[in-house]
Amino acid sequence: MCKLLMNPSDILRNFIYIYILKVIQGFGISKVVDSDDPNFKIGDLVTGFTGWEEYSLMQKTEQLKKIQPEDIPPSYYVGLLGMPGFTAYAGFYEVCSPKQGEYVFVSAASGAVGQLVGQLAKLHGCYVVGSAGTNQKVDLLKNKLGFDEAFNYKEEPDLDSALKRYFPQGIDIYFDNVGGSMLDAALLNMKIHGRIAVCGMVSQVSYTEGIKNLFALITKRIRMQGFLQSDYIHLFPKFLEFITSNYKQRKIIYIEDMTVGLENAPDAFAGLFSGKNVGKKVICITHE
């Protein structure tokens, strides 16, 4: 199978493969160049969990899905229409249980998941604020992705005060992609019966302090829930139909950050931890 695209953002949990001489794995788009499986013919485009390599031998073909990109970029099947997009969809609608008019905060809001969460919240009639790590990303959130407000957390000496400034009435929903000090500040600013969807904890890579404000879960009766998109896999067809329709109607925008060349994948992957990517990071292995 000839590899076209790969997604580096889910690689951390497989990083140990480097030390046991196995190929790093991740979600990717591939073109079938040979097949003895009657469900897949030469030339088919498929998406699934594959290796960081130019050619892969796929033995568990039941895990692959055929795709027909039509007028949607094939790379979107590892982003908007793939695991990150479905994570945003399931986390927002199933975990956050949103109501029209609620106040929503999204951290890492310009990333693969966060950018879609904010747009889904706007489509649902919510007020949305996002945080990001550069002024360029803040500008994208407000002027391209439709967030009501956004701020650069690196320019905020006091995150609690920043959230009080953007949410004087309090936060109904916090979609947490980072954990750490941002989660601590959000806990202080949640409304009674607020909901927190715990999607990611990237700050824990370097964050050495514990979360101090968990007592707010009790006093404010907050529901805080971790989740995996695979918990809601039965909703995937509904997700595809909903997102595809809204994308074609230009109600949803998706931003990618594509790096070309397998040899550049390690640097691209490392850049995820310092916020160098703008949008969904994708590695293009080869062009058709």
Side-chain angles (χ1 to χ4, degrees), residues 103-171:
Y103 292 83
V104 177
F105 175 48
V106 185
S107 56
S110 67
V113 175
Q115 62 173 298
L116 183 56
V117 173
Q119 293 180 82
L120 293 177
K122 289 302 299 178
L123 286 173
H124 202 72
C126 298
Y127 180 86
V128 186
V129 177
S131 66
T134 70
N135 291 332
Q136 176 196 10
K137 294 177 181 180
V138 168
D139 181 68
L140 282 172
L141 292 174
K142 294 194 292 184
N143 298 317
K144 188 168 184 176
L145 296 174
F147 283 60
D148 294 288
E149 281 289 353
F151 64 93
N152 183 345
Y153 72 89
K154 293 179 181 178
E155 295 183 349
E156 299 290 346
D158 186 336
L159 293 175
D160 177 29
S161 296
L163 291 180
K164 282 181 168 58
R165 186 168 73 250
Y166 287 100
F167 294 99
Q169 71 294 315
I171 301 169

Side-chain angles (χ1 to χ4, degrees), residues 12-227:
L12 184 58
R13 62 190 175 86
N14 300 300
F15 206 70
I16 195 171
Y17 285 9
I18 290 176
Y19 299 101
I20 55 176
L21 302 180
K22 289 187 177 180
V23 176
I24 300 176
Q25 294 186 326
F27 286 100
I29 308 280
S30 304
K31 184 175 182 179
V32 178
V33 295
D34 195 11
S35 174
D36 60 5
D37 187 315
N39 295 313
F40 300 97
K41 64 180 185 297
I42 294 173
D44 282 346
L45 288 179
V46 298
T47 181
F49 209 62
T50 61
W52 281 34
E53 54 192 356
E54 293 183 356
Y55 293 88
S56 294
L57 176 62
M58 305 301 297
Q59 296 177 321
K60 297 180 179 179
T61 56
E62 68 277 3
Q63 298 178 0
L64 299 175
K65 293 185 178 70
K66 282 195 286 188
I67 63 171
Q68 297 176 331
E70 300 175 351
D71 53 352
I72 295 177
S75 57
Y76 278 20
Y77 284 86
V78 292
L80 178 64
L81 299 177
M83 184 271 289
F86 188 47
T87 298
Y89 178 89
F92 182 65
Y93 288 115
E94 300 301 314
V95 179
C96 295
S97 305
K99 302 178 184 67
Q100 186 176 7
E102 289 193 313
Y103 292 83
V104 177
F105 175 48
V106 185
S107 56
S110 67
V113 175
Q115 62 173 298
L116 183 56
V117 173
Q119 293 180 82
L120 293 177
K122 289 302 299 178
L123 286 173
H124 202 72
C126 298
Y127 180 86
V128 186
V129 177
S131 66
T134 70
N135 291 332
Q136 176 196 10
K137 294 177 181 180
V138 168
D139 181 68
L140 282 172
L141 292 174
K142 294 194 292 184
N143 298 317
K144 188 168 184 176
L145 296 174
F147 283 60
D148 294 288
E149 281 289 353
F151 64 93
N152 183 345
Y153 72 89
K154 293 179 181 178
E155 295 183 349
E156 299 290 346
D158 186 336
L159 293 175
D160 177 29
S161 296
L163 291 180
K164 282 181 168 58
R165 186 168 73 250
Y166 287 100
F167 294 99
Q169 71 294 315
I171 301 169
D172 292 295
I173 292 171
Y174 173 37
F175 200 99
D176 183 19
N177 289 304
V178 298
S181 57
M182 188 67 82
L183 172 59
D184 234 3
L187 284 165
L188 293 176
N189 288 276
M190 298 298 294
K191 286 185 179 181
I192 291 175
H193 298 301
R195 286 88 70 203
I196 300 175
V198 183
C199 177
M201 287 276 174
V202 68
S203 70
Q204 301 305 122
V205 173
S206 59
Y207 191 65
T208 57
E209 298 180 25
I211 303 300
K212 306 183 187 73
N213 299 319
L214 288 174
F215 191 69
L217 294 173
I218 300 170
T219 58
K220 297 184 178 185
R221 285 83 85 194
I222 299 166
R223 176 164 57 85
M224 180 169 155
Q225 179 181 339
F227 71 100

Side-chain angles (χ1 to χ4, degrees), residues 2-5 54 260-262 283-288:
C2 177
K3 195 61 54 58
L4 300 178
L5 298 156
E54 293 183 356
V260 178
L262 182 60
I283 308 298
C284 179
I285 301 304
T286 184
H287 287 290
E288 281 288 274

